[in-house]
């Protein structure tokens, strides 16, 4: 285990580049920074338009994602409800969608379709390559979202009465609870190339792995 950086401004979502550079979101300042391999001093790439605060649903940037189809970053500006496409050097920022209550976790599938969890809006948003944005409701407090490659969205729901890993069938709209036991506040969600699902819970101090049958 190696400590790479101490950051008191709330480091959150990360993307790791092939050369080992880490691009990460800093929640308290609403900034995107990069940390080069071997460096202990991050470089500021971009300060996002929103102003974070302690007010409900107005905290700073949370998740970010890499879009391999355009070689760019997807960055939800959580305080403003906007979602941007940002160049890897931070010099270009393009608005993709607005009007989301609090966009947090995000992911991009192999077709370039973007999924965004709207934590305070009880929904997940999908933005296709032509720019059309669609809201999918029926959630509690979705914190993170990943497309599984089989026509479903995997969603972590933080609402206290739910606290679960759920699956949404995009064709039928059916919601299914995949796992709930042992969770206190599940947040992190990733899926590897074999379809294995990993969920972290910072209150229960656990990381769970689910292997498809």
């Amino acid at each position: 285990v190696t400590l790479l950086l101490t950051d008191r401004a709330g480091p959150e979502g990360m993307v790791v580049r092939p050369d080992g550079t880490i691009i990460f979101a800093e929640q308290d300042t609403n900034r995107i920074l990069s940390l080069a391999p071997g460096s202990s001093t991050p470089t500021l790439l971009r300060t996002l338009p929103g102003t974070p605060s302690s007010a409900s649903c107005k905290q700073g940037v949370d998740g970010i994602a890499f879009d391999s189809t355009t070689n760019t970053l997807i960055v939800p500006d959580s305080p403003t409800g906007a979602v941007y496409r940002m160049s890897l050097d931070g010099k270009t920022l393009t608005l993709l969608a607005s009007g989301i209550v609090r966009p947090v976790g995000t992911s991009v599938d192999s077709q370039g379709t973007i999924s965004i969890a709207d934590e305070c809006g009880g929904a997940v948003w999908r933005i296709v390559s032509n720019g059309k944005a669609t809201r999918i409701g029926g959630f509690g407090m979705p914190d993170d979202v990943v497309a599984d490659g089989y026509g479903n969205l995997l969603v972590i729901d933080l609402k206290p009465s739910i606290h679960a890993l759920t699956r949404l069938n995009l064709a039928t709209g059916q919601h299914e609870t995949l796992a709930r036991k042992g969770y206190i506040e599940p947040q992190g969600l990733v899926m590897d190339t074999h379809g294995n699902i990993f969920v972290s819970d910072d209150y229960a101090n656990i990381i769970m792995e689910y292997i498809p049958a």
Side-chain angles (χ1 to χ4, degrees), residues 2 14 24 52 68 71 77-78 82 94 137 139 144 168 171 195 201:
T2 303
M14 299 180 294
F24 66 97
S68 62
N71 203 40
D77 188 8
S78 301
T94 304
F139 296 92
D144 215 341
L168 169 69
D201 187 319

Side-chain angles (χ1 to χ4, degrees), residues 126 146-154 167-172 174 176:
R126 300 266 283 168
V146 171
D148 70 358
Y150 299 97
N152 307 297
L153 291 182
L154 303 174
R167 178 165 58 194
L168 169 69
N169 185 304
L170 290 169
T172 65
Q174 180 181 358
E176 178 186 3

Side-chain angles (χ1 to χ4, degrees), residues 111-130:
Q111 304 302 311
T113 299
I114 303 163
S115 300
I116 304 140
D118 185 358
E119 187 176 74
C120 294
V124 167
W125 290 75
R126 300 266 283 168
I127 305 173
V128 295
S129 57
N130 66 7

